[in-house]
Amino acid sequence: MKRLYALRGAVCSENTKEDILKNVGDMCRSLFSLNDVKAEDLVSIQFTMTNELNAMNPCYALRHSDTGIDTSKVALFSSPELEIVGMLRKCIRVMVTLYMEENSQLKMVYMNGAEVLRPDFVKK
């Protein structure tokens, strides 16, 4: 039996189209692969970005990345990250809402400097 879950991830990026495209693709490919995500189980994907990242929308980056699965029919949304004193800069975060088998062991992905956000999810 499947139930609704949310996968989380984050990646730091430079503010270039090439870097955002690469980093969003790498993060999502890793998240999808580690969790054996299937396109038909995806409900929606939401991104946030810190305000200094404005060279490319992460939804566009996802649609133009080879993540191993078809995301063309998935609802995508992006918004600015809330500005907080001391926050991690140049960061793209993602929340993937999807159906997975009940009692699935979720694997989150934090990479390219974003590991400091959730060191408890980073492989030792």
Side-chain angles (χ1 to χ4, degrees):
M1 176 175 257
K2 291 189 176 186
R3 66 164 275 235
L4 195 61
Y5 284 96
L7 297 172
R8 295 291 317 271
V11 64
C12 292
S13 179
E14 292 303 317
N15 190 34
T16 66
K17 290 179 182 180
E18 298 79 16
D19 215 42
I20 292 171
L21 182 71
K22 178 189 181 316
N23 286 307
V24 167
D26 289 350
M27 173 181 59
C28 290
R29 183 180 318 100
S30 192
L31 199 57
F32 297 162
S33 175
L34 286 171
N35 290 285
D36 196 28
V37 173
K38 303 198 178 10
E40 61 269 18
D41 292 334
L42 291 169
V43 175
S44 64
I45 300 175
Q46 181 170 351
F47 292 95
T48 63
M49 290 174 52
T50 54
N51 65 4
E52 60 280 329
L53 296 178
N54 59 12
M56 179 182 283
N57 185 310
C59 298
Y60 180 92
L62 176 63
R63 293 265 197 245
H64 292 85
S65 295
D66 178 10
T67 61
I69 64 171
D70 180 12
T71 58
S72 64
K73 294 181 176 75
V74 179
L76 302 180
F77 189 80
S78 67
S79 58
E81 184 74 30
L82 184 62
E83 187 75 24
I84 302 293
V85 174
M87 69 190 291
L88 181 62
R89 296 288 174 191
K90 298 182 178 181
C91 187
I92 303 167
R93 298 177 196 233
V94 68
M95 183 168 65
V96 179
T97 307
L98 75 164
Y99 287 96
M100 294 175 69
E101 291 299 323
E102 196 161 352
N103 299 317
S104 290
Q105 297 298 311
L106 307 181
K107 296 170 186 78
M108 310 305 176
V109 172
Y110 291 81
M111 55 195 305
N112 199 30
E115 298 88 345
V116 298
L117 296 171
R118 291 300 305 263
D120 51 324
F121 287 136
V122 178
K123 286 185 179 179
K124 305 286 187 246

